[in-house]
Amino acid sequence: MAAQFGRRVVKGAATTAVAAVAVAALSASQAPGVTDTAQGRQSTGSQPSSDPDADNSATGNSPYYTDLPPLNSPTPTPTTGTGTPTGTGEAEAGIPATVLDAYKKAEAALGESKPGCNLPWQLLAAIGKVESGQARGGRVDANGTTITPILGPVLNGNGFARITDTDGGAYDGDTTHDRAVGPMQFIPSTWEWSGRDGNGDGKKDPNNIYDAALAAGGYLCRFGWDLSDKADLRRAILSYNNSTHYLNTVLSWLEYYRKGTHEVPDGTGTLPSGRSDDNNGSSSSPTPTPTPTSPGTTPPSSQTPGGGGSTSPSPKPPTTTPPPSTPPTTPATPTDTVDHLEDAGTAKLTATAGDAFAEKIATRTETEAGKAVAKVRVRFTIVGDTDSVFTGGESVATVVTNSSGVATAPALKAGEKTGDFTVRATVVGRAVSGLDYKATVTARQADALARTGDTALTCVAGGEFADQVELKATYKGAAADGVEATATLIKAADDATANDKGPYFKDADGKTVRTLAGLKTDANGLLKLPKLYADDTAGTFLLRINTTGGATLTVELKVTAAPSSSPSPSAS
């Protein structure tokens, strides 16, 4: 099968030169850079990241598959069936049926919830190919859950980012460090807030392709990114795994899948071989594969613990180098040095319902001595009974501290629920006390009310008013939309008690009503009251409208007596 999978990436000076040529070609052509190999495949010359702090991503910057699409494009109009296509190009264009279905359902769901994102399912397919070889060629059950869990290498800083345990081993079975999990390779701390239930079974399982694909789509669509825009597309992909080589690999598969794909039976998809850690999926040192404790998962087999290898690695030849007498020590990461969180000058957080908060939350990570710590992930979580969200519609956001140790949360947008809620800042991968910020949403307000017309409101006793009362509410001169109002037919200018005679409204049952509550102005600040009727009492009456924010308007209503009928002339 090696000939089919293509050549693994080779490290060294020659590869670096080839990679430079490829990147130059990419810049010149506006298309993913590629170079040919002897087997007609493409290579990025990818190198593994050794930066222990490069964990600000969906995957913790775990290793990924570096295989690139064949040079021959797939058939533009693919056919659907169970037969395996002939030829490398067509075989690579085949996506396992359940996996393909999950990608398309995720695209449809995000098309409804975040239409401005313009997420193509082919992008999910490209990431799924690079992260896990489409769930190891579609090795999933009827519900979309992987037959055996797909786990990335232990993120212990040994050639990878160092992320200490955040889930108690619930997803990755490791209570010391985190590992990327599932067909889309989420690290547990990211899955905690980005996880979704894509197949409607009531669970958010990173090992399920429907859940993972929807979560990946939501992750790529956060921050209001528009994936039809090249710059936003690049930002989104790099946020998934922060590597230029990763970006180019995903873009290559995205372009390939856009030219045509077809469905193949589950378990028959082609499997990649080259990986960014150049170790065919195995960890730096063989370690037992732990058993995840999350409900509904099956224990992982002895298969590759990397980002989705297809088979167990071949045994390594014996080495003549004796093992070191003491294990190497792992250097402390910036996260390990954080002792506490401090507010970094956040002002009072108040906004009117539906508006953006003018202030942003800023938190600083510090050592015990009060020294700022850079390159630390801080998670901001909205807590409480509120529909307020961060920019992009999420209730959780993770931000890396800058050189001053400060993490600034995305802008908050107030929902329609008024009252207080909390935004809690915590350090990802470090058990230190969180820092809470109080935020308040106030009701929409109006400071002025005026009639939109000046026609006198008159009616004959026992009749109905020809004109309905229409008002416009403003706040600081601008239209005040969504402002609540109450309209009451009062007894007198100095007595706001509801009158028991004179003009009145009707409820849904046609009964007399002289107080209307729960009224609300429209998007233009306009409010049109229901039709008014008059009983048999003549005189001048008052209608008072009050809004949240203190705006008040009193409208005069006149009811004239009904004309008396002339007596019949007496007989002569």
Side-chain angles (χ1 to χ4, degrees):
M1 296 293 288
Q4 180 184 355
F5 295 158
R7 179 177 298 171
R8 189 189 304 177
V9 175
V10 179
K11 299 179 182 178
T15 301
T16 304
V18 172
V21 173
V23 172
L26 169 63
S27 302
S29 65
Q30 296 298 309
V34 298
T35 58
D36 294 347
T37 68
Q39 281 130 342
R41 296 185 56 75
Q42 304 157 357
S43 172
T44 58
S46 175
Q47 298 285 346
S49 170
S50 58
D51 180 3
D53 303 319
D55 59 350
N56 184 37
S57 66
T59 67
N61 290 347
S62 292
Y64 54 90
Y65 285 116
T66 58
D67 293 30
L68 290 171
L71 295 179
N72 52 317
S73 299
T75 304
T77 308
T79 57
T80 302
T82 58
T84 301
T86 59
T88 304
E90 289 190 15
E92 290 287 5
I95 300 178
T98 299
V99 177
L100 180 60
D101 184 56
Y103 295 150
K104 291 184 176 181
K105 280 185 168 57
E107 178 195 56
L110 269 299
E112 292 183 4
S113 63
K114 294 188 177 182
C117 178
N118 295 304
L119 171 76
W121 67 261
Q122 292 91 340
L123 177 58
L124 296 177
I127 290 176
K129 179 71 172 182
V130 170
E131 292 295 345
S132 68
Q134 311 297 15
R136 291 181 180 149
R139 295 189 69 243
V140 296
D141 64 18
N143 295 318
T145 302
T146 56
I147 303 300
T148 54
I150 301 172
L151 298 176
V154 177
L155 297 175
N156 57 8
N158 187 9
F160 313 112
R162 182 169 185 260
I163 305 178
T164 52
D165 177 60
T166 61
D167 67 329
Y171 294 115
D172 57 12
D174 193 324
T175 57
T176 304
H177 296 93
D178 274 348
R179 304 172 71 171
V181 180
M184 303 304 277
Q185 289 288 273
F186 280 95
I187 53 175
S189 59
T190 302
W191 184 260
E192 179 183 339
W193 62 266
S194 65
R196 300 287 189 273
D197 176 15
N199 62 353
D201 64 356
K203 298 185 296 183
K204 300 176 182 178
D205 183 1
N207 298 291
N208 182 277
I209 186 58
Y210 288 99
D211 295 358
L214 184 59
Y219 186 90
L220 295 165
C221 287
R222 72 201 195 287
F223 301 142
W225 282 331
D226 177 1
L227 302 184
S228 65
D229 177 81
K230 289 183 179 180
D232 278 359
L233 177 63
R234 289 176 60 90
R235 293 185 189 101
I237 296 172
L238 286 171
S239 77
Y240 211 90
N241 193 315
N242 191 19
S243 160
T244 302
H245 297 299
Y246 180 87
L247 169 69
N248 291 340
T249 306
V250 170
L251 288 175
S252 296
W253 282 106
L254 171 60
E255 181 66 19
Y256 182 77
Y257 286 142
R258 275 175 166 164
K259 292 177 180 177
T261 60
H262 57 266
E263 176 185 304
V264 298
D266 290 344
T268 65
T270 58
L271 302 174
S273 59
R275 284 169 45 85
S276 59
D277 58 356
D278 201 24
N279 202 20
N280 201 25
S282 59
S283 301
S284 302
S285 58
T287 55
T289 304
T291 302
T293 58
S294 58
T297 61
T298 57
S301 67
S302 59
Q303 298 187 48
T304 299
S310 59
T311 58
S312 301
S314 302
K316 295 183 179 180
T319 177
T320 57
T321 304
S325 56
T326 57
T329 58
T330 304
T333 68
T335 301
D336 295 331
T337 67
V338 176
D339 176 75
H340 59 274
L341 293 172
E342 289 286 345
D343 175 47
T346 305
K348 186 176 181 181
L349 297 166
T350 304
T352 302
D355 292 344
F357 283 77
E359 297 294 328
K360 291 183 179 181
I361 297 171
T363 301
R364 184 171 54 254
T365 53
E366 296 183 355
T367 64
E368 186 176 4
K371 183 179 178 181
V373 186
K375 296 184 178 181
V376 173
R377 292 198 303 167
V378 175
R379 179 180 295 124
F380 298 95
T381 306
I382 297 174
V383 181
D385 183 18
T386 181
D387 54 353
S388 296
V389 293
F390 290 115
T391 301
E394 304 293 345
S395 60
V396 179
T398 302
V399 182
V400 177
T401 57
N402 60 19
S403 58
S404 300
V406 176
T408 302
L412 279 167
K413 186 174 191 276
E416 294 302 322
K417 290 184 179 179
T418 59
D420 297 335
F421 66 92
T422 299
V423 178
R424 181 164 300 149
T426 56
V427 177
V428 176
R430 180 77 169 162
V432 298
S433 298
L435 188 61
D436 286 352
Y437 295 84
K438 178 184 174 182
T440 302
V441 178
T442 59
R444 297 171 187 258
Q445 300 179 28
D447 55 15
L449 271 177
R451 283 187 64 197
T452 57
D454 56 4
T455 305
L457 300 170
T458 61
C459 177
V460 176
E464 61 182 55
F465 287 81
D467 298 310
Q468 290 177 244
V469 178
E470 185 178 66
L471 313 165
K472 182 166 185 177
T474 55
Y475 182 70
K476 295 182 179 180
D481 64 308
V483 176
E484 292 189 358
T486 300
T488 306
L489 290 147
I490 60 176
K491 289 185 176 180
D494 58 354
D495 185 357
T497 306
N499 210 335
D500 55 1
K501 59 184 177 181
Y504 61 91
F505 299 107
K506 289 182 180 180
D507 64 12
D509 297 325
K511 296 180 180 179
T512 299
V513 176
R514 289 192 169 90
T515 297
L516 294 176
L519 303 172
K520 187 173 289 188
T521 61
D522 66 14
N524 298 312
L526 298 176
L527 173 62
K528 192 170 187 177
L529 300 183
K531 184 181 287 292
L532 278 163
Y533 302 86
D535 61 12
D536 57 1
T537 307
T540 299
F541 302 89
L542 299 176
L543 170 65
R544 180 164 293 169
I545 302 96
N546 299 303
T547 71
T548 52
T552 300
L553 179 67
T554 302
V555 178
E556 190 175 87
L557 307 172
K558 291 185 177 180
V559 179
T560 59
S564 56
S565 55
S566 300
S568 301
S570 56
S572 307

